[in-house]
Amino acid sequence: MENERNVTEFILIGLTQNPQMQKVVFPVFLVLYMVTLAGNLLIVVAITTSRALNAPMYFFLTHLALIDTIYSSSSAPKLIVDSLHEKKIISFSGCMAQVYAEHIFGAAEIILLTVMAYDRYVAICKPLHYTAIMSHQVCGLLVGVAWAGGFLHATVQILFIVWLPFCGPNVIDHFMCDLYPLLKLVCMDTHTLGLFVAANSGFICLLTFLLLVVSYVVILCSLRTYSLEGRHKALSTCVAHITVVVLFFVPCMFVYLRRVTTLPIDKAVAVFYTIVAPMLNPLIYTLRNADVNNAIRKLWRKKVTSNND
């Protein structure tokens, strides 16, 4: 227990140690974060205020946007504020909270993306039974499972790492707290610990990704029986979802499907899945979705009209 209390805070190296680049980090990531918040919250408001967007797909998309908003908020504000300071410090409890937030929302998103793939499978492969299968109760249950799964995964991870002996040093070569950079500071052999992380995070990403690939192969094969117009509409939805899946799962597998080690590219990968991917998701889902675009236009017109009045 004594060893665990030796470290009360961690020093983050940050995204870069170059003073000139530090000046660039603040405005660039502030803009990225603001765009992420605006895009995801706009989707939430547009869908919840539109009577036309009451299909299960949009219900799941609302929760995905909420998860992305909170997920990016678990690391981006700290990165932005730290870029203004030479010494970047985070308390032990703050570090554990960041790890917990990263994993609860990351795991919830993994499960929710799987749920969204199942929704597309039912809609395309069993269209006559879609309404009966994807009822409001079932949709609510599936979203509840996503949040509960994220909570369970994050709780296991945090209970695993919070009791490890951190007896110094306390310098993390990253801009945020993450499992592998933290495991490098543990005062014990980390081989078995690395296997646990790979099993609890890496293999979950890999197996879920393979499951999603198989499901979309089945969906795409089913489209052969559709008309040209129906095929185009189904494809536009599936392509958007597949793009989001690839953007999320590839960095996840790259980071967690390896032994306990850190690479120079890890920071860039972390920026991608914590800030860039949540920023791109609203754009990907709305770019070719006429219904969401129409809802956003109506919301904008309503806002302009109320301002004029």
Side-chain angles (χ1 to χ4, degrees):
M1 201 66 161
E2 257 180 62
N3 283 345
E4 294 160 8
R5 299 299 178 191
N6 281 353
V7 173
T8 59
E9 63 182 25
F10 295 101
I11 299 172
L12 299 169
I13 294 295
L15 194 59
T16 177
Q17 291 180 283
N18 186 319
Q20 297 303 317
M21 287 300 294
Q22 287 276 27
K23 295 176 182 177
V24 176
V25 168
F26 178 79
V28 169
F29 283 92
L30 181 61
V31 170
L32 290 178
Y33 180 55
M34 290 296 105
V35 171
T36 302
L37 290 183
N40 283 289
L41 292 177
L42 181 61
I43 281 185
V44 171
V45 175
I47 292 176
T48 53
T49 57
S50 174
R51 293 180 181 178
L53 303 179
N54 57 2
M57 179 178 72
Y58 300 115
F59 175 68
F60 297 137
L61 182 55
T62 302
H63 283 270
L64 180 67
L66 279 173
I67 289 173
D68 280 337
T69 300
I70 308 170
Y71 186 47
S72 62
S73 298
S74 67
S75 58
K78 175 69 175 166
L79 168 62
I80 293 165
V81 172
D82 280 349
S83 66
L84 300 175
H85 300 95
E86 188 175 341
K87 195 171 185 181
K88 305 160 181 59
I89 297 173
I90 186 169
S91 66
F92 184 87
S93 57
C95 186
M96 295 302 111
Q98 196 172 62
V99 172
Y100 188 81
E102 177 191 346
H103 284 271
I104 189 172
F105 298 113
E109 182 155 344
I110 285 174
I111 299 171
L112 188 59
L113 289 173
T114 308
V115 167
M116 293 173 76
Y118 175 69
D119 172 68
R120 290 300 85 204
Y121 166 77
V122 176
I124 293 170
C125 299
K126 299 182 178 181
L128 298 178
H129 304 284
Y130 180 73
T131 306
I133 295 173
M134 300 303 293
S135 64
H136 290 299
Q137 291 84 355
V138 170
C139 292
L141 178 63
L142 291 173
V143 168
V145 168
W147 285 103
F151 173 78
L152 180 62
H153 168 77
T155 301
V156 170
Q157 291 286 47
I158 205 67
L159 290 176
F160 152 71
I161 201 166
V162 75
W163 300 112
L164 293 177
F166 293 96
C167 48
N170 66 337
V171 179
I172 300 176
D173 187 13
H174 213 297
F175 64 85
M176 68 178 192
C177 290
D178 203 1
L179 290 176
Y180 280 168
L182 281 171
L183 288 179
K184 287 189 71 177
L185 306 180
V186 173
C187 306
M188 61 182 290
D189 180 53
T190 57
H191 176 70
T192 306
L193 302 177
L195 292 177
F196 176 82
V197 172
N200 196 32
S201 295
F203 284 112
I204 289 175
C205 285
L206 178 62
L207 292 175
T208 308
F209 180 71
L210 293 176
L211 177 66
L212 289 173
V213 169
V214 171
S215 68
Y216 275 106
V217 169
V218 173
I219 289 171
L220 293 174
C221 289
S222 301
L223 289 178
R224 288 180 298 183
T225 60
Y226 274 58
S227 65
L228 187 62
E229 184 183 349
R231 195 182 307 164
H232 176 75
K233 187 175 181 180
L235 266 177
S236 65
T237 306
C238 289
V239 167
H241 192 70
I242 291 169
T243 304
V244 171
V245 165
V246 171
L247 289 177
F248 187 83
F249 279 90
V250 171
C252 174
M253 290 185 290
F254 175 80
V255 170
Y256 294 113
L257 271 179
R258 64 173 194 242
R259 61 189 178 87
V260 180
T261 183
T262 55
L263 303 173
I265 198 174
D266 284 351
K267 294 180 185 180
V269 174
V271 166
F272 187 82
Y273 66 73
T274 58
I275 300 174
V276 177
M279 180 189 69
L280 292 177
N281 286 354
L283 180 64
I284 293 167
Y285 276 112
T286 59
L287 197 61
R288 300 176 66 182
N289 192 310
D291 293 332
V292 176
N293 283 326
N294 289 335
I296 292 173
R297 287 193 199 99
K298 286 180 182 177
L299 185 67
W300 179 255
R301 282 197 295 267
K302 188 176 178 182
K303 177 69 176 174
V304 171
T305 304
S306 63
N307 286 340
N308 291 337
D309 291 344

